Amino acid sequence: MALLHIAEPDKSVAPHQHKRAAGIDLGTTNSLVASVRSGSAGILLDQNGQDMLPSIVHYAEHGQVLVGRDAQPFLDTDPLNTLVSVKRLMGKAFDDLKNASLPYELSAHESGLVQIKTRIGSVNAVQASSEILKKLKARAFDSLGGELSGVVITVPAYFDDAQRQGTKDAARIAGLHVLRLLNEPTAAAIAYGLDSGKKGLIAVYDLGGGTFDISILRLQKGVFEVLATGGNAALGGDDFDAVIVQWIIEQSGITHTLSFVEQQQLRQIACLAKQKLSGQKTANIVHQGLKITLNLSREILNELISVLIGKTLRACKRAVKDAQINLLDIVEVVMVGGSTRIPLVRDKVSAYFQQEVLTSIDPDKVVAIGAAIQADILVGNKPDSEMLLLDVLPLSLGLETMGGLVEKVIPRNSTIPVARAQEFTTFKDGQTAMLIHVLQGEREQVKDCRSLARFELTNIPPMAAGAAHIRVTFQVDADGLLSVTAMEKSSSVQAKIEVKPSYGLSDNEVMQMLQASQTFAEQDMATRMLVEQQVEVRRVLENLNAALQKDGVKLLSEKAYDAIKISMKNLSNIALKNDVKAIKNALKSIDKLTEHYASLRMDASIKQALTGKSVDEI
Amino acid sequence: MAITITEPAAQHVANFLANRGKGIGLRLGVKTSGCSGMAYVLEFVDILNDDDEVFVDKGISIIVDKKSLVYLNGTELDFVKNGLNEGFEFHNPNTNAECGCGESFSV
């Protein structure tokens, strides 16, 4: 049973054509999915009423994959097959991580991409992330009545091409249609409606469980530009817990080494006390086994964590400096992440930026909410007057010309998606090939820019130097991914390259993963679509039959009546075959054919309803 | 006869309207959707049209155009939860065949 939601004026759609979209915050520690229903954005809950899905994937025996709370218990019992924080590995090469202390057996894929050894074989961050996305997708499906047109997934502002592409690949494997990727700080700003507000500079302070990010955004004509990002990938709420545990140990005079379980318990107690102190002045700390009874006041907590907060403020200072802006020009400060609930964090950040900070939306949910709002706009549920938010290109894109110089084709800060073309010519008489070297950066010389890709345009007909017209087109899609096409105009020979990040996956590899993904998602979906269409056919035929019997002869000409009969017969024949497309088309054509009849019926029944009534009654 | 709304539906509509920040009420309507069916319309209302009728129930202004009213007279709008899914449902005494999904119907 599909339940209805309230649409914007004149935005109602035909039955079964609802455009439901979701926003996904694919986090390092926790993930969330949100959607706009009846004009309000909210987090979608799971069967147990939980909003957050811990970003944990456990590869169990017999090929079973557990995600979220189901996977959590295996962190202690089977850590090698239980992956946490895979977001940190997204788009990373093995060489990047050789020295990182991770509890897994890592290896390098032939592409250089890092892989984790588990009992089902080597798994990369894309595959593990896709398991998390599948779980969120199932939740969204159930909550939205089985209709999900697309999703917006958020990524950190500092994610590079490889990391963004990896996130998109994970979504593809999970069978999700990605409307676009959105920067996390931008999503938070959208949740507060800042995109429709005044232009100016916005700071987004994001202190989560394990990471800290500060972003400085500039809003201009509905476009958010990331001016600077900074932070610390290993600083967050967990570190606050650790200093509290240290304090507990010192205060209670424990000298012996604690067992792993005792450490875990103390960490939990510390975390609970920290959370309590956001609302009250003191919290009791009790551990019976270790005979600990202490009282932690907010003053002591503040003392303990002020050094850590100081670190975040220094990162803010650097970001402001990098952005080359004046601190006082920042018009809004958005708070994101559970740790920003701590009063001292709010006070210190507020003092540093010299203004009240935005905290009215739950800091754990604000990013997902912003993504949901953006997704709702992208599938077209909002009036056209509401502007589509765009991103800008962070660096100029260009190609190498003679002498090692860079010719810029798309300048930085162009709004994306964008396509620009420029003409080049041959350098030598009879030159039949041309090397296109794609570069990113602001400098003039090739050696100072970042090389993105090289490809060759061959089979240029021999001509005098300068006679060939070679048109090179750069195209950047809404997610910031680039494709370059080169074409010689007289002969139309063409060459094209999609600029894949250095450690990205090739289409083939993604396809393989798609096939290997054990869910048979595509097959299921195809079957489901077919059955749905066949059901729809039955419904249409039944309704039409009933209607024709009632008043078909009365309202329709013989010719029209016969035409409908024939197309009904046709439709029931097509429905027997397993061709979804054909059924869809047949349904569409019968829908069109009967449109006039339906309105005749409506008029007739209105007439009937009005007969014998005076004008005043209606 | 009139159009009515249940208490849970009224509360949700009030919340959604407050959240949206504008709008004078809720439009209930029908439109033809080909075949022999008609589909329900559920929209926010910013501007009242000439042929609109307004019913007020439990503090919510329910707006129905005259043409749709013929099909909707006596309808009660409800808000239901069905597993994880939730949304509005029309209880319409005028229908004689409803499609399985509840989004379209015939009279």
Side-chain angles (χ1 to χ4, degrees):
Chain A
M1 179 93 181
L3 299 170
L4 298 165
H5 295 285
I6 310 172
E8 285 294 309
D10 291 324
K11 283 277 167 183
S12 283
V13 294
H16 314 290
Q17 306 286 310
H18 298 287
K19 292 167 287 182
R20 303 256 187 267
I24 293 178
D25 174 3
L26 185 60
T28 309
T29 336
N30 288 298
S31 297
L32 289 144
V33 56
S35 184
V36 175
R37 294 188 283 184
S38 294
S40 300
I43 300 292
L44 303 178
L45 306 179
D46 71 5
Q47 261 95 359
N48 304 319
Q50 299 281 0
D51 44 23
M52 286 201 234
L53 178 75
S55 301
I56 307 172
V57 180
H58 173 63
Y59 293 95
E61 281 166 55
H62 313 300
Q64 214 191 349
V65 183
L66 300 176
V67 179
R69 282 188 181 74
D70 299 338
Q72 217 154 18
F74 297 98
L75 272 179
D76 298 336
T77 57
D78 190 7
L80 284 182
N81 293 302
T82 309
L83 312 186
V84 288
S85 305
V86 285
K87 189 174 176 182
R88 293 182 196 274
L89 306 182
M90 184 66 89
K92 292 274 171 136
F94 179 62
D95 293 343
D96 298 341
L97 297 159
K98 261 193 302 208
N99 302 319
S101 64
L102 289 161
Y104 310 115
E105 281 184 55
L106 302 180
S107 64
H109 181 251
E110 54 188 75
S111 64
L113 206 66
V114 68
Q115 302 187 116
I116 306 156
K117 205 166 160 194
T118 70
R119 65 161 58 89
I120 64 151
S122 287
V123 171
N124 60 35
V126 171
Q127 286 163 310
S129 300
S130 80
E131 297 297 342
I132 298 168
L133 289 172
K134 276 180 204 167
K135 190 92 176 173
L136 294 172
K137 177 190 170 188
R139 190 194 292 189
F141 246 72
D142 291 345
S143 305
L144 300 176
E147 295 171 274
L148 184 61
S149 313
V151 294
V152 166
I153 302 178
T154 58
V155 291
Y158 57 77
F159 254 28
D160 64 17
D161 269 9
Q163 292 166 306
R164 283 167 201 265
Q165 185 64 48
T167 307
K168 279 190 96 177
D169 290 341
R172 260 176 75 192
I173 294 168
L176 283 168
H177 171 54
V178 181
L179 299 164
R180 75 182 308 171
L181 302 177
L182 185 64
N183 287 329
E184 286 161 7
T186 307
I190 292 172
Y192 278 102
L194 301 183
D195 50 329
S196 57
K198 47 199 164 184
K199 63 177 189 180
L201 300 169
I202 297 161
V204 181
Y205 180 99
D206 181 350
L207 188 58
T211 58
F212 168 65
D213 295 311
I214 174 76
S215 313
I216 310 284
L217 310 176
R218 175 158 54 203
L219 174 66
Q220 220 167 7
K221 295 182 200 146
V223 174
F224 285 99
E225 179 191 347
V226 180
L227 292 183
T229 63
N232 189 331
L235 174 63
D238 300 344
D239 299 287
F240 292 10
D241 300 345
V243 294
I244 298 172
V245 169
Q246 198 53 43
W247 177 81
I248 295 172
I249 292 173
E250 278 165 20
Q251 291 296 309
S252 53
I254 294 171
T255 46
H256 67 278
T257 320
L258 296 172
S259 73
F260 180 71
V261 174
E262 285 168 339
Q263 282 181 33
Q264 289 281 73
Q265 286 168 341
L266 279 186
R267 214 169 291 156
Q268 267 171 18
I269 292 169
C271 183
L272 277 176
K274 175 188 75 179
Q275 287 171 357
K276 267 193 196 148
L277 287 175
S278 290
Q280 55 199 52
K281 295 275 181 212
T282 62
N284 284 325
I285 289 172
V286 180
H287 188 291
Q288 286 177 342
L290 291 168
K291 299 198 172 62
I292 296 172
T293 315
L294 289 167
N295 196 290
L296 179 61
S297 68
R298 194 186 279 177
E299 283 73 34
I300 296 174
L301 174 74
N302 287 351
E303 248 172 67
L304 293 172
I305 61 176
S306 71
V307 176
L308 294 170
I309 299 175
K311 274 191 191 173
T312 70
L313 295 180
R314 277 199 293 283
C316 292
K317 205 169 172 181
R318 269 196 303 275
V320 168
K321 200 168 151 230
D322 285 352
Q324 298 180 338
I325 54 158
N326 186 341
L327 183 73
L328 295 174
D329 290 340
I330 293 173
V331 291
E332 299 282 4
V333 180
V334 180
M335 299 294 265
V336 183
S339 303
T340 61
R341 288 203 185 86
I342 299 173
L344 186 68
V345 173
R346 292 185 177 182
D347 293 348
K348 291 257 187 174
V349 175
S350 177
Y352 173 72
F353 287 103
Q354 299 174 35
Q355 60 182 292
E356 281 291 307
V357 294
L358 291 171
T359 56
S360 60
I361 303 177
D362 185 333
D364 283 321
K365 300 173 182 167
V366 62
V367 168
I369 298 267
I373 293 171
Q374 179 69 359
D376 192 49
I377 295 173
L378 287 174
V379 293
N381 286 334
K382 283 273 177 176
D384 300 334
S385 57
E386 303 216 359
M387 213 187 323
L388 189 68
L389 173 107
L390 299 163
D391 276 330
V392 294
L393 214 56
L395 292 166
S396 301
L397 295 167
L399 45 76
E400 176 174 356
T401 58
M402 285 308 295
L405 290 179
V406 179
E407 174 77 25
K408 292 191 180 70
V409 180
I410 307 181
R412 75 181 288 260
N413 283 343
S414 301
T415 54
I416 54 175
V418 64
R420 294 271 169 85
Q422 209 157 312
E423 269 185 28
F424 296 88
T425 187
T426 44
F427 183 70
K428 275 186 181 167
D429 283 344
Q431 182 179 343
T432 57
M434 189 179 204
L435 180 73
I436 317 266
H437 184 191
V438 184
L439 295 144
Q440 181 179 42
E442 302 314 305
R443 307 281 295 272
E444 295 302 321
Q445 285 196 293
V446 170
K447 64 177 171 62
D448 299 323
C449 288
R450 184 177 162 211
S451 167
L452 291 179
R454 288 166 197 270
F455 67 107
E456 234 175 89
L457 178 67
T458 51
N459 296 326
I460 303 172
M463 284 181 252
H469 292 278
I470 292 156
R471 194 177 174 79
V472 180
T473 310
F474 278 52
Q475 193 171 352
V476 182
D477 73 11
D479 302 311
L481 298 171
L482 167 71
S483 61
V484 180
T485 319
M487 186 181 76
E488 199 286 309
K489 283 170 107 180
S490 70
S491 60
S492 294
V493 289
Q494 196 171 318
K496 187 179 176 185
I497 193 163
E498 307 241 325
V499 178
K500 288 275 159 153
S502 352
Y503 300 116
L505 300 161
S506 72
D507 274 352
N508 258 339
E509 284 165 320
V510 173
M511 277 312 289
Q512 275 165 13
M513 283 184 209
L514 267 173
Q515 282 157 4
S517 79
Q518 294 155 348
T519 57
F520 296 103
E522 288 203 341
Q523 201 182 322
D524 289 352
M525 212 162 84
T527 319
R528 184 197 164 97
M529 265 167 72
L530 178 66
V531 172
E532 269 178 9
Q533 292 298 326
Q534 284 169 336
V535 168
E536 177 71 4
V537 167
R538 276 209 297 280
R539 183 187 77 77
V540 167
L541 289 177
E542 247 163 59
N543 274 344
L544 257 177
N545 257 326
L548 285 174
Q549 239 165 34
K550 208 166 155 192
D551 54 18
V553 180
K554 201 169 77 192
L555 293 177
L556 291 168
S557 70
E558 204 173 315
K559 203 173 140 201
Y561 186 92
D562 288 344
I564 291 179
K565 274 286 185 192
I566 290 168
S567 99
M568 282 169 71
K569 183 124 207 256
N570 188 21
L571 179 64
S572 67
N573 282 336
I574 289 172
L576 296 176
K577 293 176 200 145
N578 294 340
D579 185 348
V580 176
K581 227 178 174 174
I583 300 177
K584 259 193 186 160
N585 285 337
L587 273 172
K588 236 184 235 160
S589 71
I590 204 162
D591 191 40
K592 227 177 161 166
L593 188 69
T594 54
E595 218 164 34
H596 180 59
Y597 176 41
S599 64
L600 282 179
R601 296 196 77 216
M602 195 159 173
D603 289 346
S605 64
I606 286 179
K607 242 183 237 159
Q608 198 186 1
L610 298 187
T611 311
K613 291 187 185 171
S614 75
V615 181
D616 300 335
E617 284 178 77
I618 39 175
Chain B
M1 289 288 264
I3 308 287
T4 55
I5 184 165
T6 63
E7 191 57 50
Q11 267 177 23
H12 277 96
V13 173
N15 284 343
F16 289 141
L17 275 169
N19 224 314
R20 188 168 174 263
K22 59 173 181 181
I24 53 173
L26 181 68
R27 176 178 300 285
L28 269 60
V30 297
K31 59 179 185 186
T32 53
S33 71
C35 309
S36 67
M38 270 160 267
Y40 289 120
V41 167
L42 194 60
E43 289 177 355
F44 293 112
V45 180
D46 289 326
I47 308 159
L48 221 51
N49 295 326
D50 287 344
D51 64 341
D52 279 338
E53 279 208 34
V54 183
F55 301 89
V56 179
D57 186 20
K58 301 191 176 63
I60 303 294
S61 296
I62 304 166
I63 292 133
V64 185
D65 68 281
K66 290 210 169 74
K67 213 172 168 183
S68 294
L69 190 56
V70 178
Y71 297 93
L72 293 179
N73 214 344
T75 294
E76 182 191 54
L77 185 73
D78 196 8
F79 191 89
V80 294
K81 285 194 177 195
N82 191 349
L84 289 183
N85 194 5
E86 58 179 34
F88 293 94
E89 197 172 72
F90 283 70
H91 295 162
N92 184 354
N94 304 302
T95 57
N96 66 25
E98 214 167 71
C99 113
C101 63
E103 285 185 69
S104 57
F105 64 100
S106 60
V107 287

